[in-house]
Amino acid sequence: MKTGELLLRIYAILLLVCGITSCSTSNIDGLSVGKVSNSECLRTRATGDAQGVIDNPTLQLTKDGNTISGLLKNFEVNCAAQKDVLVDCRQEGNTLYIEAHENSQDGVRANCVCPVNVYFTLYNVEGDNFRVILNGAELGDISFAEHRVVEIDRRTLRQAFEGGFDFSEVQGETLITALEYHPEVNPYDKPRLELRYDSGLHHVSGIYWYYRMPCSYQAFDVIMDMETDGTLVFRLETDGKYSADCDSRSQIVFYMENAQKDSYRIKVNPHTVKVTGEDGQEHEQTVYDYEGELKKDEAVSIPLAEE
């Protein structure tokens, strides 16, 4: 074989290899994702762990030319699927779609969740102004025209820049979050409510052990209201119907972020019961699973009556 023909064949093979490599890592528009990794579990919220609260989740993007380094802080995953988080991305016009999801091939699930930090890099990004959508949720419009770093609070959608967020300076109660699990029922454990005020994390957290829930429902949440005197009222809400012939016990975890006061007057789960008055007649009365003052770094455990 002549030297010229050999060089042409080598050149053709190199072109083919480069073409295959490009197709395997890039979308049609040239955008590609690389250097994907994630941290270990930062803080496990496991069954019975009232202190296992999760810090503020944010998305931080740092732009350098046509490359963006991403940091997804406190991304919640199941404890059994925390080792490898996958990240996909595509750009359509000025809209940047980012998808992060667990790599749970065996389908094994654990009765706990934990936050991890997810790191990734986007290559061949076009433009400086973007509309960001993360896992189907719109996070708003961002611009790198005046800032190299943009960080988005994924709950409030507020934005910070090079300095990032300082959540310790946020005043007031801005968020209440609830989770529900179905633990194995331990016949030796009684239903109870545990409350804790952690001043270091600025969280007021609560956990119901073996709370009676409807067997079938579509929606569940914990709502926080504030009375005129500043008392916080946590209401458990569900669209399910209770039935005497169906007993479903759940573990309910809820927490309030950005607690700043030395103490809070708290009422938990107002509900109506019928009581017999002095007149011998039945009357409806509002009662609470807990009503009292919760101070900094204090924890209380309240036994609940069996229904």
Side-chain angles (χ1 to χ4, degrees):
M1 183 181 298
K2 295 181 180 180
T3 302
E5 293 179 357
L6 178 60
L7 291 174
L8 286 175
R9 288 193 180 187
I10 293 175
Y11 181 68
I13 292 172
L14 287 175
L15 287 178
L16 178 60
V17 170
C18 291
I20 293 174
T21 304
S22 176
C23 291
S24 65
T25 59
S26 302
N27 296 328
I28 296 176
D29 58 6
L31 187 68
S32 63
V33 183
K35 297 183 180 179
V36 180
S37 63
N38 62 272
S39 69
E40 297 292 332
C41 186
L42 300 176
R43 185 184 295 112
T44 303
R45 181 193 281 137
T47 301
D49 182 10
Q51 299 183 68
V53 290
I54 291 178
D55 292 336
N56 295 71
T58 68
L59 172 64
Q60 183 183 89
L61 301 173
T62 303
K63 193 169 187 294
D64 184 8
N66 64 347
T67 299
I68 292 180
S69 299
L71 170 55
L72 189 56
K73 297 181 181 179
N74 295 299
F75 180 66
E76 295 183 27
V77 297
N78 187 269
C79 292
Q82 61 175 289
K83 294 183 179 180
D84 295 299
V85 177
L86 304 179
V87 177
D88 296 315
C89 185
R90 73 180 191 276
Q91 182 178 356
E92 296 181 2
N94 70 331
T95 302
L96 204 58
Y97 295 89
I98 302 173
E99 296 285 338
H101 50 89
E102 301 171 354
N103 184 19
S104 182
Q105 297 179 351
D106 53 10
V108 175
R109 309 292 289 177
N111 192 24
C112 62
V113 294
C114 65
V116 297
N117 288 338
V118 183
Y119 306 88
F120 59 93
T121 301
L122 308 180
Y123 300 97
N124 303 321
V125 182
E126 297 181 357
D128 286 325
N129 302 299
F130 303 95
R131 172 173 168 254
V132 180
I133 297 180
L134 174 66
N135 287 357
E138 184 163 344
L139 301 187
D141 296 325
I142 65 172
S143 175
F144 292 101
E146 298 180 359
H147 301 280
R148 181 171 174 265
V149 181
V150 178
E151 187 170 2
I152 309 168
D153 186 318
R154 288 156 45 211
R155 288 171 175 165
T156 66
L157 303 185
R158 292 187 301 116
Q159 294 186 14
F161 304 101
E162 275 70 8
F165 286 106
D166 183 1
F167 291 108
S168 64
E169 296 181 356
V170 179
Q171 301 294 317
E173 302 74 48
T174 60
L175 183 70
I176 175 73
T177 303
L179 295 172
E180 185 218 355
Y181 307 107
H182 294 274
E184 289 185 30
V185 175
N186 185 340
Y188 301 104
D189 278 345
K190 300 295 183 181
R192 66 186 183 275
L193 168 66
E194 296 176 355
L195 293 172
R196 180 183 298 270
Y197 183 177
D198 190 321
S199 63
L201 295 173
H202 300 287
H203 287 137
V204 171
S205 58
I207 179 171
Y208 273 97
W209 279 78
Y210 307 115
Y211 182 79
R212 183 171 180 264
M213 289 285 288
C215 288
S216 179
Y217 59 93
Q218 298 296 320
F220 162 76
D221 203 357
V222 175
I223 310 299
M224 183 184 70
D225 298 318
M226 181 178 291
E227 296 183 342
T228 55
D229 63 353
T231 299
L232 302 178
V233 182
F234 298 96
R235 296 182 289 109
L236 279 70
E237 292 190 350
T238 177
D239 62 352
K241 303 297 182 183
Y242 288 92
S243 173
D245 59 356
C246 180
D247 189 31
S248 175
R249 298 287 171 170
S250 297
Q251 177 184 312
I252 307 298
V253 178
F254 62 93
Y255 64 97
M256 179 190 77
E257 291 191 56
N258 304 324
Q260 303 288 336
K261 297 182 180 180
D262 290 334
S263 65
Y264 287 93
R265 184 74 182 173
I266 291 179
K267 297 177 180 178
V268 183
N269 197 26
H271 54 283
T272 302
V273 297
K274 291 184 178 181
V275 297
T276 302
E278 296 179 356
D279 57 1
Q281 301 295 318
E282 280 193 343
H283 302 274
E284 289 189 345
Q285 178 179 330
T286 300
V287 297
Y288 304 88
D289 289 339
Y290 173 80
E291 182 178 3
E293 186 180 27
L294 187 65
K295 299 179 180 179
K296 275 186 177 181
D297 300 316
E298 181 180 53
V300 295
S301 181
I302 306 102
L304 301 178
E306 295 274 9
E307 297 184 22

Short mmCIF file of all heavy atoms in Angstrom, two decimals, residues 65-96:
data_model
loop_
_atom_site.label_atom_id
_atom_site.label_comp_id
_atom_site.label_asym_id
_atom_site.label_seq_id
_atom_site.Cartn_x
_atom_site.Cartn_y
_atom_site.Cartn_z
N GLY A 65 -17.33 31.28 29.48
CA GLY A 65 -17.41 31.11 28.02
C GLY A 65 -18.69 30.39 27.66
O GLY A 65 -19.78 30.81 28.03
N ASN A 66 -18.56 29.29 26.91
CA ASN A 66 -19.74 28.52 26.54
C ASN A 66 -19.90 27.26 27.39
O ASN A 66 -20.53 26.29 27.00
CB ASN A 66 -19.70 28.14 25.05
CG ASN A 66 -18.53 27.22 24.74
OD1 ASN A 66 -17.62 27.04 25.55
ND2 ASN A 66 -18.55 26.64 23.54
N THR A 67 -19.31 27.29 28.60
CA THR A 67 -19.40 26.18 29.54
C THR A 67 -20.07 26.65 30.83
O THR A 67 -19.77 27.74 31.32
CB THR A 67 -18.00 25.61 29.87
OG1 THR A 67 -17.40 25.13 28.66
CG2 THR A 67 -18.09 24.48 30.88
N ILE A 68 -20.95 25.85 31.37
CA ILE A 68 -21.62 26.15 32.63
C ILE A 68 -21.37 25.01 33.61
O ILE A 68 -21.66 23.85 33.30
CB ILE A 68 -23.13 26.37 32.46
CG1 ILE A 68 -23.41 27.64 31.66
CG2 ILE A 68 -23.84 26.43 33.81
CD1 ILE A 68 -24.89 27.92 31.44
N SER A 69 -20.81 25.34 34.78
CA SER A 69 -20.65 24.37 35.85
C SER A 69 -21.87 24.44 36.76
O SER A 69 -22.25 25.54 37.21
CB SER A 69 -19.38 24.66 36.66
OG SER A 69 -18.23 24.58 35.84
N GLY A 70 -22.49 23.31 37.00
CA GLY A 70 -23.70 23.28 37.80
C GLY A 70 -23.50 22.60 39.14
O GLY A 70 -22.73 21.64 39.25
N LEU A 71 -24.18 23.10 40.16
CA LEU A 71 -24.18 22.49 41.49
C LEU A 71 -25.62 22.49 41.99
O LEU A 71 -26.21 23.54 42.25
CB LEU A 71 -23.27 23.27 42.44
CG LEU A 71 -23.35 22.89 43.93
CD1 LEU A 71 -23.09 21.40 44.13
CD2 LEU A 71 -22.38 23.73 44.74
N LEU A 72 -26.18 21.31 42.10
CA LEU A 72 -27.53 21.13 42.61
C LEU A 72 -27.43 20.77 44.08
O LEU A 72 -27.10 19.64 44.43
CB LEU A 72 -28.23 20.03 41.81
CG LEU A 72 -29.73 19.80 42.01
CD1 LEU A 72 -30.52 21.08 41.76
CD2 LEU A 72 -30.21 18.68 41.09
N LYS A 73 -27.66 21.76 44.95
CA LYS A 73 -27.46 21.55 46.38
C LYS A 73 -28.69 20.93 47.03
O LYS A 73 -29.82 21.31 46.73
CB LYS A 73 -27.15 22.88 47.08
CG LYS A 73 -25.86 23.54 46.64
CD LYS A 73 -25.63 24.84 47.40
CE LYS A 73 -24.36 25.55 46.96
NZ LYS A 73 -24.16 26.84 47.68
N ASN A 74 -28.45 19.97 47.93
CA ASN A 74 -29.52 19.35 48.71
C ASN A 74 -30.62 18.77 47.82
O ASN A 74 -31.80 19.04 48.02
CB ASN A 74 -30.10 20.35 49.71
CG ASN A 74 -29.09 20.78 50.75
OD1 ASN A 74 -28.58 19.97 51.51
ND2 ASN A 74 -28.76 22.07 50.77
N PHE A 75 -30.21 17.99 46.86
CA PHE A 75 -31.16 17.29 45.98
C PHE A 75 -31.59 16.01 46.68
O PHE A 75 -30.77 15.17 47.03
CB PHE A 75 -30.49 16.99 44.64
CG PHE A 75 -31.37 16.27 43.68
CD1 PHE A 75 -32.49 16.88 43.15
CD2 PHE A 75 -31.08 14.96 43.30
CE1 PHE A 75 -33.31 16.21 42.25
CE2 PHE A 75 -31.90 14.29 42.40
CZ PHE A 75 -33.01 14.92 41.88
N GLU A 76 -32.90 15.85 46.92
CA GLU A 76 -33.40 14.74 47.70
C GLU A 76 -33.48 13.46 46.86
O GLU A 76 -34.05 13.46 45.78
CB GLU A 76 -34.78 15.06 48.27
CG GLU A 76 -34.77 16.21 49.26
CD GLU A 76 -36.15 16.46 49.85
OE1 GLU A 76 -36.94 15.50 49.90
OE2 GLU A 76 -36.43 17.60 50.23
N VAL A 77 -32.91 12.40 47.40
CA VAL A 77 -32.98 11.09 46.76
C VAL A 77 -33.33 10.05 47.82
O VAL A 77 -33.19 10.29 49.02
CB VAL A 77 -31.64 10.70 46.08
CG1 VAL A 77 -31.30 11.66 44.97
CG2 VAL A 77 -30.50 10.66 47.10
N ASN A 78 -33.80 8.91 47.36
CA ASN A 78 -34.04 7.82 48.27
C ASN A 78 -32.71 7.28 48.78
O ASN A 78 -31.73 7.23 48.05
CB ASN A 78 -34.83 6.71 47.57
CG ASN A 78 -35.25 5.62 48.53
OD1 ASN A 78 -34.54 4.64 48.71
ND2 ASN A 78 -36.41 5.80 49.14
N CYS A 79 -32.66 6.89 50.04
CA CYS A 79 -31.40 6.45 50.64
C CYS A 79 -30.79 5.25 49.91
O CYS A 79 -29.58 5.08 49.89
CB CYS A 79 -31.61 6.09 52.11
SG CYS A 79 -32.01 7.52 53.13
N ALA A 80 -31.65 4.42 49.31
CA ALA A 80 -31.14 3.23 48.63
C ALA A 80 -30.61 3.56 47.23
O ALA A 80 -30.02 2.70 46.58
CB ALA A 80 -32.24 2.17 48.53
N ALA A 81 -30.83 4.79 46.75
CA ALA A 81 -30.42 5.14 45.38
C ALA A 81 -29.57 6.40 45.36
O ALA A 81 -29.62 7.18 44.43
CB ALA A 81 -31.65 5.32 44.52
N GLN A 82 -28.76 6.60 46.40
CA GLN A 82 -28.01 7.85 46.52
C GLN A 82 -26.65 7.82 45.85
O GLN A 82 -26.00 8.85 45.72
CB GLN A 82 -27.81 8.17 48.01
CG GLN A 82 -27.01 7.09 48.74
CD GLN A 82 -26.70 7.47 50.17
OE1 GLN A 82 -25.89 8.35 50.39
NE2 GLN A 82 -27.33 6.81 51.10
N LYS A 83 -26.18 6.64 45.40
CA LYS A 83 -24.80 6.54 44.95
C LYS A 83 -24.56 7.21 43.61
O LYS A 83 -23.51 7.81 43.39
CB LYS A 83 -24.40 5.07 44.89
CG LYS A 83 -24.36 4.40 46.26
CD LYS A 83 -23.89 2.97 46.17
CE LYS A 83 -23.82 2.32 47.54
NZ LYS A 83 -23.37 0.91 47.48
N ASP A 84 -25.51 7.11 42.68
CA ASP A 84 -25.29 7.67 41.34
C ASP A 84 -26.53 8.43 40.90
O ASP A 84 -27.57 7.83 40.64
CB ASP A 84 -24.99 6.55 40.34
CG ASP A 84 -23.67 5.85 40.66
OD1 ASP A 84 -22.64 6.53 40.64
OD2 ASP A 84 -23.69 4.64 40.93
N VAL A 85 -26.40 9.74 40.80
CA VAL A 85 -27.47 10.58 40.27
C VAL A 85 -27.14 10.92 38.82
O VAL A 85 -26.00 11.28 38.50
CB VAL A 85 -27.64 11.86 41.10
CG1 VAL A 85 -28.69 12.77 40.49
CG2 VAL A 85 -28.00 11.52 42.55
N LEU A 86 -28.10 10.78 37.94
CA LEU A 86 -27.90 11.06 36.52
C LEU A 86 -28.41 12.46 36.19
O LEU A 86 -29.39 12.94 36.77
CB LEU A 86 -28.65 10.03 35.67
CG LEU A 86 -28.29 8.56 35.93
CD1 LEU A 86 -29.12 7.65 35.04
CD2 LEU A 86 -26.81 8.31 35.71
N VAL A 87 -27.73 13.13 35.25
CA VAL A 87 -28.13 14.47 34.81
C VAL A 87 -28.20 14.49 33.30
O VAL A 87 -27.26 14.08 32.61
CB VAL A 87 -27.13 15.54 35.31
CG1 VAL A 87 -27.53 16.92 34.77
CG2 VAL A 87 -27.09 15.57 36.83
N ASP A 88 -29.33 14.97 32.78
CA ASP A 88 -29.52 15.18 31.34
C ASP A 88 -29.86 16.65 31.11
O ASP A 88 -30.38 17.32 32.01
CB ASP A 88 -30.64 14.29 30.79
CG ASP A 88 -30.31 12.81 30.92
OD1 ASP A 88 -29.18 12.44 30.60
OD2 ASP A 88 -31.19 12.04 31.35
N CYS A 89 -29.58 17.13 29.91
CA CYS A 89 -29.84 18.54 29.62
C CYS A 89 -30.05 18.74 28.13
O CYS A 89 -29.50 18.00 27.31
CB CYS A 89 -28.67 19.40 30.10
SG CYS A 89 -28.94 21.17 29.91
N ARG A 90 -30.89 19.73 27.83
CA ARG A 90 -31.05 20.13 26.43
C ARG A 90 -31.37 21.63 26.40
O ARG A 90 -31.89 22.18 27.38
CB ARG A 90 -32.14 19.33 25.72
CG ARG A 90 -33.56 19.68 26.11
CD ARG A 90 -34.57 18.82 25.35
NE ARG A 90 -35.93 19.28 25.49
CZ ARG A 90 -36.73 18.98 26.50
NH1 ARG A 90 -36.30 18.19 27.47
NH2 ARG A 90 -37.96 19.44 26.55
N GLN A 91 -31.07 22.27 25.27
CA GLN A 91 -31.34 23.69 25.10
C GLN A 91 -32.23 23.88 23.89
O GLN A 91 -31.91 23.40 22.80
CB GLN A 91 -30.03 24.49 24.93
CG GLN A 91 -30.25 25.99 24.78
CD GLN A 91 -28.95 26.76 24.67
OE1 GLN A 91 -27.86 26.19 24.77
NE2 GLN A 91 -29.05 28.07 24.44
N GLU A 92 -33.35 24.56 24.10
CA GLU A 92 -34.27 24.89 23.01
C GLU A 92 -34.43 26.40 23.00
O GLU A 92 -35.12 26.96 23.86
CB GLU A 92 -35.61 24.20 23.20
CG GLU A 92 -35.54 22.68 23.14
CD GLU A 92 -36.89 22.02 23.31
OE1 GLU A 92 -37.91 22.76 23.44
OE2 GLU A 92 -36.95 20.78 23.32
N GLY A 93 -33.78 27.07 22.06
CA GLY A 93 -33.76 28.53 22.06
C GLY A 93 -33.01 29.02 23.28
O GLY A 93 -31.87 28.65 23.51
N ASN A 94 -33.69 29.86 24.09
CA ASN A 94 -33.04 30.32 25.32
C ASN A 94 -33.51 29.54 26.55
O ASN A 94 -33.22 29.94 27.68
CB ASN A 94 -33.31 31.82 25.52
CG ASN A 94 -34.77 32.09 25.87
OD1 ASN A 94 -35.66 31.34 25.48
ND2 ASN A 94 -35.01 33.16 26.60
N THR A 95 -34.24 28.44 26.32
CA THR A 95 -34.72 27.63 27.44
C THR A 95 -33.76 26.49 27.71
O THR A 95 -33.39 25.74 26.80
CB THR A 95 -36.12 27.06 27.16
OG1 THR A 95 -37.03 28.15 26.92
CG2 THR A 95 -36.63 26.26 28.36
N LEU A 96 -33.32 26.38 28.96
CA LEU A 96 -32.39 25.36 29.39
C LEU A 96 -33.14 24.34 30.24
O LEU A 96 -33.64 24.66 31.31
CB LEU A 96 -31.26 26.00 30.19
CG LEU A 96 -29.91 25.29 30.28
CD1 LEU A 96 -29.33 25.06 28.90
CD2 LEU A 96 -28.96 26.11 31.14
#
